């Protein structure tokens, strides 16, 4: 029995160029990523991008920061790939690269028919877990009437 996936993608603003998974020069401590003094430290890595990515959503007139982004699981990437390649799906061209980083350590997942990227320089598209119903609180009208 498989569990239903319940996640949302970062907006297109959160899509990246091809980056490495993790370069030396970064470490994670006390809830944040920090640079070390090592030469060649890059901010443009998949892990760092999702750990530091934020978006803001307006909920009931209040700005709410969304700062709990992560790399998608392989199952999440495969689901998106399946949806965007299904001719009967409304989902089209969400992840257009050939390879995307997954939460599986240093594992780039190859998509059907994508362009560019490689197993060592893949694209990043962060996701976050959906913790509560979000539709009604984010639209300017009520859905229950």
């Amino acid at each position: 029995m498989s569990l239903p996936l319940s996640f949302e993608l970062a907006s297109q603003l959160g899509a990246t160029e091809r980056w490495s998974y993790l370069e030396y020069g970064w470490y994670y401590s006390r809830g944040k990523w920090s640079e070390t003094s090592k030469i060649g430290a890059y901010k443009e890595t998949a892990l760092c991008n999702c750990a530091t990515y934020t978006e803001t959503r307006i909920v009931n007139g209040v700005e709410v920061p969304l700062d709990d982004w992560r790399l998608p699981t392989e199952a999440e990437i495969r689901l998106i790939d399946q949806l965007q390649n299904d001719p009967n799906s409304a989902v089209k061209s969400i992840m257009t690269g050939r390879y995307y980083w997954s939460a599986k350590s240093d594992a780039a997942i190859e998509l059907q028919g994508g362009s560019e990227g490689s197993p060592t320089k893949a694209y990043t598209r962060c996701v976050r877990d959906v913790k509560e119903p979000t539709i009604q609180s984010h639209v300017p009208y009520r859905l229950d009437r």
Side-chain angles (χ1 to χ4, degrees):
M1 180 177 145
S2 63
L3 297 173
L5 299 174
S6 185
F7 65 96
E8 67 178 297
L9 284 165
S11 71
Q12 189 62 30
L13 296 174
T16 69
E17 290 297 317
R18 297 175 305 277
W19 291 345
S20 62
Y21 185 75
L22 179 65
E23 295 285 346
Y24 292 106
W26 283 94
Y27 66 96
Y28 188 76
S29 176
R30 297 183 187 160
K32 68 178 186 171
W33 285 94
S34 300
E35 267 182 289
T36 70
S37 59
K38 292 183 181 178
I39 296 174
Y42 297 105
K43 293 180 182 175
E44 294 83 8
T45 64
L47 283 177
C48 183
N49 181 65
C50 290
T52 60
Y53 185 74
T54 62
E55 289 187 10
T56 301
R57 182 171 292 157
I58 297 176
V59 179
N60 299 322
V62 177
E63 287 188 4
V64 177
L66 304 176
D67 59 3
D68 55 348
W69 299 94
R70 60 177 174 76
L71 286 171
T73 65
E74 181 176 352
E76 291 164 339
I77 293 173
R78 299 258 182 243
L79 175 63
I80 293 164
D81 194 33
Q82 180 182 2
L83 289 172
Q84 69 185 13
N85 286 290
D86 180 344
N88 299 315
S89 173
V91 176
K92 304 290 182 213
S93 302
I94 292 176
M95 296 170 80
T96 58
R98 179 115 184 146
Y99 290 89
Y100 280 84
W101 290 120
S102 73
K104 186 177 178 181
S105 182
D106 205 10
I109 307 300
E110 185 175 6
L111 276 62
Q112 305 172 46
S115 63
E116 300 184 10
S118 73
T120 58
K121 293 283 186 180
Y123 291 92
T124 302
R125 191 73 184 261
C126 304
V127 300
R128 64 186 290 274
D129 297 315
V130 174
K131 299 172 184 71
E132 60 187 52
T134 58
I135 290 277
Q136 188 168 338
S137 62
H138 297 18
V139 292
Y141 54 88
R142 294 182 60 142
L143 298 175
D144 59 351
R145 291 188 184 173

